[in-house]
Amino acid sequence: MAADLGRAVLFGSIPVAAAFGVLGLPQLYVVLALSGVLSVLFDVAHSSYPPRLLTPDQLLPGNARLAANHSVGAVVGAGAGGVLIQWLSAATTIGLNALGFLWSALWLRSIRTPETRPPAPEHRDLRREITEGLRYVFRHPLLRPLVLTSATTMLFQAANSAVIVVFLVREIHLSPAAIGVLNMIGLLGAIAASAFTERLSRWIGDARAQLVAAIGLGIAFLIQPLTNPGWSLSWYVGSTLLAAICIIVGYILQVSTRQRVCPPELQGRVSATMSFVSWGALPIGSLLGGALGTAFGLRPTLWIAGVATLLGTSWLIFSPYRTLRSIPIPVDIRTTR
């Protein structure tokens, strides 16, 4: 709630400054930097909170519903953002975004489940807490391959993203509007994935489903360089749809796995550790994609990113996920709420 209220104030300051004619880039830099910090805090708390509300068996369907809401919001936001900017101006649209954070805080305030405040440690040692999170993740036989696969995927997904729009404009000759429509198809795939992830998990098991999603994502990026003008544009449509489905399925199952196997007292730091390792690869991947695109060209960069993403699934293939069907639930977590 505090993160929501803080972001509402930050984004709400933009239309106010614009109304008084004092809006400038320094304010935008500060708003983006501080809201980024608050978003990280919100995301860590958001993904650590469901185990306090749900039993282990309810986590996967709960995360699937949350992902479905997120996907619907992404589709609506992608379609409405440009229209609102044309109607109301960019500053006013950002002001509406601030109201969205207030709306979120009000819904969070409506949760009536009591939450026990954790005991404050006698001596807070941030370095020790970070080390505990890293040690737990990289020593755990199920979390380690997950985080390494996620980091590899994020790295080369960012490399792909650094050149794909330029590729579509320069070599496929698509307009910005056409690119936007094609990308919305992927978001619709994300909505569909949110709906059938639970069913897929029951059918083949959540461990196997994570392995299938990782391999499917690698295949999606691998076929993307086959895109060409005309009917060959279907390669891009198919790859975008498959990638969106696999990303959402993998995300839902990965979060559910972490929430199931992690002790309650370590949920926050383990979530932060996995987010840091995975998302920390994004800026490196963006630089890598730009460098590869400059050195070898756009289509070869897409091939490199696709092959590397598919090879990155080796972290899961050569791990317990290869033989597991379902994620085991530790005995001491089975009865927690």
Side-chain angles (χ1 to χ4, degrees), residues 57 122 163 174 199 211 226 238 249 252 297 332-333 335 337:
D57 291 338
E122 296 182 1
V163 301
L174 295 181
R199 189 174 304 173
L211 186 57
L226 297 173
V249 171
I252 293 171
D332 57 347
I333 298 181
T335 58
R337 292 189 65 86

Side-chain angles (χ1 to χ4, degrees), residues 64-108:
R65 288 172 175 81
L66 290 172
N69 291 343
H70 181 80
S71 299
V72 170
V75 171
V76 174
V83 175
L84 290 173
I85 288 175
Q86 288 183 343
W87 284 359
L88 304 175
S89 81
T92 304
T93 301
I94 293 175
L96 294 177
N97 193 37
L99 295 178
F101 287 118
L102 288 177
W103 184 244
S104 171
L106 289 174
W107 277 109
L108 291 173

